[in-house]
Structures are given as C-alpha cells and as structure tokens.
Amino acid sequence: MGFRAGRIDKAEIPARYHQFLPTRTVNSVLDVIPAELVASGKTIVLLDADNTLLPWRAEDIPATTREWLTQAQAAGLQLCLVSNTRNKERLERLSQAMGIPFAVGRFKPSREMYDNALDRFDAEPDQAIMIGDQIFTDILGANRSGIDAILVRQMNKHEFIGTRLISRLGEKLIWRKLLDAMEEELDDLPIVEPTGFFHRRIVRQFAKFCIVGLTSFAVDYNIRMTLQFGTKVKGELLSQTGGQWMVSHVPFMAQMSHTDAFFPVAAAAGASLAIINSFIWNRLWTFRIRSREEAGTQFGRFLIVSVGGLVLNVLLSSLFNHLIPGDPKMSARIATVMATGFVAIWNFMGQRLYAFRPSPER
Ligand SMILES: [Mg+2]
C-alpha cells in the first residue's frame, strides 16, 4: 500500500484508531504551507528530524529543508525538534545547524518531549502542530498530548531496522483506516488548495458520475445489440431461438416476431450489467469507497436509488411530454432529455447522500 497525501476526517472511522491518525498526510514537509498553519491558529511547529527534515543519520540538512525552515520562521512560527535519536551529539549539531531548539525527555510516543516543548513556549496543545514520518512515535505521541499531527512521507527508505521491521508493518494496518478516512487525495492536486468551481469536490464527483453514466450506457447498448444481433447458437441467432421459446411460452407474446419477443431479455441483461457497472465504478472511483465492508448494504441502497430514479424518469418525462406543446416527436425528445437531466441529479445525490454516504462509527 503506497503513501497517499490527503486530508483525514477522523469522524469517518472508529474512535479506537483516532490516537494513531494525523489530520493530514503530505509527501514532504515542503508541502506544508507555513502561512496556512498560522492562519489556522498554530504558533508552534514540532518537528521530527530523521526522515522528516533530513535522511536518517545524515548530517547535511537539505537546502530545501533549510529554505522551508526559514519560511516557517519568517511566517512567525516557533520551531522545535522532537527527535528519538539516541545520538545526543548529533541532535545538538543539527539543532545548531538549523538554528532551532530541541525538546528533551523520554522517547516518543511518550508525552514528555511534547509537554516540555509546550512548556518552553508557554503554549497550549491546540497552538502546536507536530510533523513527523512515523505513526507510532510522532503521530501517536502528539495525539496523546492533544496536539494535531501531520504525517509526512518518509524521506528515505533507510531507517533503523526495528522501525523497518516492526513499526512500518503496524503502520500498514493503520493505513487501511487512513484511506477510509481520507477526504480527498491531494497527490494529483496543486499544493495550494484550489477553490474554483471545477475544483470543488462535489463538482468533480458529478463529472465522474456523468462519465460512469456514459460507460454504463455503452455497456447496456453493446450487450443488447450483441445479444440481439451478434450471438449465434448452433448456427442460428440467439434472438431467433430464444424469441421462439418466448413466443410459445409467454401468452401475450404469441403475436410477436421472434426477435421482438427476445428483446426484453436482451434489454434486461444489458440494463442489469449497466447497473452493476455503475455501482462498481461510482463506488470505487466517484465516491472512493475504500473498505470492502458494507458493499452489500450499499448495493441494496444503490438499487433503491436507481429504482426511484426509474419511477421519477417515467413520471417526469410523461409530465413534460404532456406539458410541452407542438410537434409530438419534438416534445417527446425534449421531455426525455429534461427528465434524464433531473434523474441524473436525483441518482447522483441519492448515491452521494444515501447509497455511499460515509457510515458513522462502526
Ligand atoms: Mg522520523
């Protein structure tokens, strides 16, 4: 499971995981905008050193890190190192080189270093933010002290063997939850949060929903046409042999041609696969449901929304058709297009607020 950058909504997952969760994940400390921290009321930034600001055991501070530290200080933030390094001399050297103090105390996730850092600046937990690359030390320790934390992608694969073998394995379990609680992925978005209309989440979701709708139409259309005209059984068209069976077994079809009698079967197959197509893609892509739980319940709700949409479609298009004056063919076309638009909004909102709504505490 790869690292993903995004905002975390803790309310989306059970409380027992909250201690392990950052409020955000970022690819690099450079993605944290100091001015945004200040704007959100933070005055203190507690910083892990290894694999957050510089590679594990390194002595040289990357130029980009230096630049970021300068920017953060210029924005008015107080900085403090909170590191679990056993090499006190190196920590002193780093602190000197960066020009920022370090906290002393028992190792993270103990609260001691965090509390000492807060005391040093005479600050409350909600004024501080922790930035670090490890869930079981940096993030857990911060949360235990009531401090929000940002999880940063580890700079470098090299790290303490115990970290690599044990902590990172445990982190994989937390990541499953993290992805459930991730509000939106920021990997493919600019660092500065866009606010324009087309960047709003609901707008992007609706665009995806419309694309899924088109693929479902393509699935439906192709299945119908293939079953009706392109499938042969023992040299004869399936719609002929199947239709023959329908004509002789279904009372009111007795007068129909074989292919016409078979059409409802092809239509039902196409429409069913289109519904399954819509469900799968809207679930995974449009609404980004990550957990495998509740797929059954969601499919049930999805069907309820879809059937509601079908009824609404029939009602609205009949009403519009009745109300729109002029050429009957034209009013039927306009009525169908208008009803399709309304029903698309119905289906979208139904899926968003009901079928795929985030569940409360599980
Ligand atoms: Mg670290």
Side-chain angles (χ1 to χ4, degrees):
M1 189 171 329
F3 190 98
R4 283 207 173 82
R7 286 184 194 285
I8 311 300
D9 183 359
K10 294 192 186 185
E12 303 256 313
I13 60 174
R16 63 179 179 277
Y17 296 103
H18 289 189
Q19 291 279 73
F20 301 100
L21 296 189
T23 54
R24 258 179 99 169
T25 54
V26 292
N27 281 308
S28 153
V29 71
L30 307 175
D31 291 349
V32 179
I33 313 291
E36 281 179 12
L37 294 182
V38 174
S40 66
K42 304 297 179 194
T43 56
I44 295 161
V45 184
L46 308 179
L47 293 158
D48 171 54
D50 286 306
N51 272 336
T52 296
L53 296 179
L54 75 173
W56 182 58
R57 280 186 158 174
E59 290 288 343
D60 294 332
I61 297 136
T64 46
T65 297
R66 283 182 184 279
E67 171 120 353
W68 186 86
L69 294 171
T70 309
Q71 276 179 27
Q73 283 164 328
L77 292 163
Q78 304 271 12
L79 309 179
C80 184
L81 292 175
V82 180
S83 171
N84 273 4
T85 183
R86 274 158 231 275
N87 186 340
K88 182 89 183 292
E89 289 76 36
R90 175 171 167 265
L91 184 58
E92 280 169 356
R93 283 197 298 275
L94 293 176
S95 163
Q96 280 263 306
M98 295 185 204
I100 54 182
F102 60 90
V104 290
R106 293 176 53 206
F107 278 2
K108 301 170 282 188
S110 160
R111 302 174 50 165
E112 207 172 314
M113 280 197 280
Y114 297 89
D115 293 345
N116 286 342
L118 292 181
D119 284 347
R120 166 192 281 268
F121 298 107
D122 195 19
E124 296 297 320
D126 62 354
Q127 291 173 270
I129 185 113
M130 172 71 192
I131 304 178
D133 71 303
Q134 285 193 45
I135 289 174
F136 294 109
T137 56
D138 302 317
I139 310 301
L140 177 60
N143 282 327
R144 292 184 66 207
S145 307
I147 298 170
D148 284 343
I150 297 175
L151 181 70
V152 60
R153 185 199 290 260
Q154 67 188 108
M155 241 183 186
N156 195 304
K157 282 282 160 211
H158 294 293
E159 56 193 350
F160 178 59
I161 182 96
T163 307
R164 200 163 65 217
L165 293 184
I166 299 165
S167 303
R168 297 294 182 192
L169 215 70
E171 286 189 356
K172 286 211 165 71
L173 300 176
I174 302 293
W175 264 102
R176 294 178 68 114
K177 293 292 158 190
L178 262 178
L179 293 177
D180 287 346
M182 193 163 284
E183 279 197 309
E184 60 182 331
E185 290 178 29
L186 302 175
D187 268 349
D188 48 4
L189 291 180
I191 290 164
V192 178
E193 284 250 35
T195 50
F197 178 75
F198 285 103
H199 286 110
R200 286 183 53 195
R201 189 179 180 207
I202 189 168
V203 176
R204 276 183 287 136
Q205 282 181 341
F206 189 69
K208 288 179 174 180
F209 170 86
C210 290
I211 294 169
V212 171
L214 288 177
T215 66
S216 291
F217 175 77
V219 166
D220 189 354
Y221 182 87
N222 283 298
I223 296 279
R224 284 184 202 207
M225 293 304 139
T226 307
L227 284 178
Q228 194 73 357
F229 306 111
T231 311
K232 285 188 171 173
V233 180
K234 291 178 190 161
E236 214 183 337
L237 275 180
L238 176 67
S239 52
Q240 282 292 338
T241 43
Q244 196 171 10
W245 189 92
M246 299 288 284
V247 166
S248 50
H249 285 80
V250 184
F252 65 86
M253 284 186 169
Q255 303 300 318
M256 288 188 180
S257 75
H258 292 168
T259 45
D260 283 358
F262 185 74
F263 190 73
V265 178
S272 306
L273 284 167
I275 285 176
I276 293 169
N277 179 71
S278 290
F279 175 75
I280 292 173
W281 287 105
N282 280 327
R283 185 169 188 272
L284 294 177
W285 188 51
T286 310
F287 298 105
R288 291 191 179 278
I289 309 290
R290 298 281 168 181
S291 64
R292 263 166 247 158
E293 295 155 49
E294 295 193 61
T297 318
Q298 288 173 350
F299 189 64
R301 292 188 193 148
F302 181 89
L303 285 180
I304 292 171
V305 171
S306 304
V307 170
L310 178 72
V311 173
L312 193 66
N313 196 339
V314 173
L315 290 179
L316 282 179
S317 50
S318 308
L319 178 70
F320 293 148
N321 187 43
H322 176 68
L323 292 178
I324 298 167
D327 175 34
K329 218 172 190 177
M330 191 48 81
S331 21
R333 280 190 196 128
I334 298 173
T336 302
V337 171
M338 283 175 64
T340 303
F342 274 103
V343 171
I345 293 168
W346 158 277
N347 280 332
F348 176 70
M349 293 314 283
Q351 289 178 26
R352 191 171 195 270
L353 300 176
Y354 176 60
F356 298 122
R357 70 152 179 246
S359 48
E361 303 277 296
R362 287 195 280 271

